[in-house]
Amino acid sequence: MELPESPTPEPTSRRRARIDKNKLAGLGVLSAGVFAIAALTFVTTRSSDQAEPETPEQLQFSSSETSIAEAGTLWIDTSNPEAVSGAFLAEFTKDVPAVEWQGDHTSCDGGTSSADLRTSTIARVNYYRAMAGVPAVVTENEEFSEKAHSGAIMMSVEGELTHEPPPSFACYTEVGFEAASNSNLYLGRTGPSAIDGYVEDPGEDNADVGHRNTLLHPPTTEMGVANIESRDGYDEANLVWVFDEQVFDKSTVSREQDGFVAWPPKGFVPQEVVYDRWSFSLPEADFTDATVTVTSNGEAIPLSSITKEGKPGRVPNPIIVWEPVLEDRSERVAYDIEIRNVSLGGQQQDYAYTVTVLEPLLG
């Protein structure tokens, strides 16, 4: 079993990616000098003609013995608490493989890491995608992973994160630069634990949960993974290459009829993966005038902050993020979410759904 450390280390870098390379936010590392995350955000879109997709079946988990990969289905039926519990236990109680990094800091050799750990890392990505109701079909692109190790060794040796590493970096390579420009970056975690940190996305520099948004971007089908061990005083590092050739695909289906992607998602959700920041993303949406209300048993839940990010025509999709002030998560509690005045195609739309947080499943 592996869960995030508590508290989760804060992200420290934000930037717009690829085509918007000139927009680079400030970079910093926490005073502890160990944990840091950097992430990509928005890429200008392109147009293409796409066929109408078919709607797949949902995944019904009845046993903690079944994994998402074994089921081979696109997403979890979050209206079924047994399915939700079974999927969570199957993912979060399995053993995590060792890093087994075959590289060297002093010679700037990014090497490679355990194929089993890379597979386990992608499985954690697919767990979150299946819960969010987007296709949990991401597979490893080995070319992405190979390049990602060149980026990860740069970050580990420098002890800092940036999506535009300068040539002055000790282990700088053009391949590593390419990887840094297309990846979520983490210092201080590897494997599935890094994915948990990306989805939680804490820290003031990640108020728009850019890491989460890229991992849950519906069209994505391939990612790359790199894991670097901590040796000789160098930090462990993780890179997840998040931009594949499908990121502009508009034909992707999702579980929710309205096409939104929320975290925590509509339906039942394990308490262990309900993080402080809640989010709602929607293709082509404009959240400029949008409002969010959260209620439980008819009582309003105060929100400590609301963040809006993105514009129609960019990926990942526009998103609105809020932080509900929740006093008690030890029992099953339902929260009703209403998001109003969302501009979509020139019209104002309202959305409503319920999140039911389950009792802790791991004791």
Side-chain angles (χ1 to χ4, degrees), residues 38-362:
L40 305 172
T41 52
F42 294 89
V43 181
T44 305
T45 191
R46 68 184 179 198
S47 60
S48 61
D49 296 326
Q50 302 291 348
E52 288 296 322
E54 296 181 357
T55 302
E57 296 181 357
Q58 298 186 95
L59 175 58
Q60 296 279 347
F61 273 92
S62 59
S63 168
S64 62
E65 298 299 321
T66 306
S67 71
I68 292 167
E70 290 168 342
T73 316
L74 293 193
W75 49 65
I76 297 165
D77 178 9
T78 53
S79 69
N80 182 336
E82 287 75 24
V84 168
S85 299
F88 175 82
L89 292 171
E91 175 59 30
F92 282 83
T93 60
K94 63 186 181 182
D95 293 334
V96 177
V99 177
E100 297 180 354
W101 178 51
Q102 305 297 317
D104 180 68
H105 288 95
T106 57
S107 63
C108 294
D109 179 11
T112 188
S113 55
S114 163
D116 289 341
L117 182 59
R118 299 198 309 271
T119 298
S120 183
T121 305
I122 295 291
R124 185 63 57 89
V125 171
N126 279 326
Y127 165 77
Y128 282 109
R129 290 174 66 88
M131 280 292 296
V134 301
V137 296
V138 171
T139 59
E140 182 189 9
N141 181 308
E142 293 186 358
E143 181 181 357
F144 290 170
S145 293
E146 182 179 357
K147 292 180 176 180
H149 282 86
S150 295
I153 191 66
M154 282 197 293
M155 307 306 156
S156 181
V157 168
E158 292 297 324
E160 63 179 87
L161 301 172
T162 173
H163 294 286
E164 293 184 332
S168 60
F169 268 32
C171 296
Y172 178 87
T173 61
E174 291 185 1
V175 171
F177 182 97
E178 180 188 7
S181 300
N182 285 280
S183 300
N184 286 349
L185 316 175
Y186 216 133
L187 285 178
R189 288 193 185 190
T190 58
S193 179
I195 302 304
D196 297 333
Y198 291 136
V199 176
E200 181 175 0
D201 235 355
E204 62 181 15
D205 290 333
N206 270 317
D208 60 357
V209 297
H211 310 90
R212 178 190 299 174
N213 205 10
T214 54
L215 291 179
L216 301 183
H217 186 54
T220 304
T221 60
E222 293 183 321
M223 294 184 184
V225 177
N227 296 294
I228 302 289
E229 285 180 342
S230 175
R231 294 180 188 168
D232 302 321
Y234 294 105
D235 294 327
E236 61 183 347
N238 169 269
L239 261 70
V240 177
W241 187 301
V242 291
F243 287 148
D244 68 357
E245 294 301 319
Q246 304 302 315
V247 294
F248 300 105
D249 189 349
K250 296 182 179 181
S251 69
T252 307
V253 295
S254 61
R255 182 184 60 218
E256 308 309 333
Q257 186 175 4
D258 293 324
F260 67 83
V261 177
W263 196 271
K266 173 183 176 181
F268 293 93
V269 188
Q271 182 271 338
E272 288 88 345
V273 293
V274 176
Y275 303 118
D276 290 343
R277 287 182 171 142
W278 296 32
S279 61
F280 177 99
S281 66
L282 186 68
E284 305 302 322
D286 185 343
F287 292 109
T288 301
D289 298 320
T291 62
V292 179
T293 59
V294 181
T295 59
S296 182
N297 294 321
E299 297 185 3
I301 302 297
L303 309 181
S304 64
S305 66
I306 298 179
T307 302
K308 305 168 185 179
E309 180 64 70
K311 297 178 181 179
R314 294 189 176 189
V315 297
N317 294 320
I319 195 166
I320 185 168
V321 185
W322 62 96
E323 296 186 42
V325 180
L326 306 179
E327 296 181 356
D328 183 11
R329 296 185 185 178
S330 62
E331 298 179 356
R332 184 175 300 196
V333 181
Y335 299 96
D336 298 313
I337 316 299
E338 290 189 4
I339 302 173
R340 298 184 178 276
N341 300 321
V342 178
S343 179
L344 190 66
Q347 298 183 342
Q348 298 297 108
Q349 303 285 344
D350 299 333
Y351 300 87
Y353 59 99
T354 299
V355 173
T356 301
V357 180
L358 295 173
E359 307 86 348
L361 296 174
L362 295 176

Side-chain angles (χ1 to χ4, degrees), residues 9-12 28-30 34-38 159-161 185-188:
E10 293 183 358
T12 59
V29 177
L30 294 180
V34 177
F35 298 111
I37 308 175
E160 63 179 87
L161 301 172
L185 316 175
Y186 216 133
L187 285 178

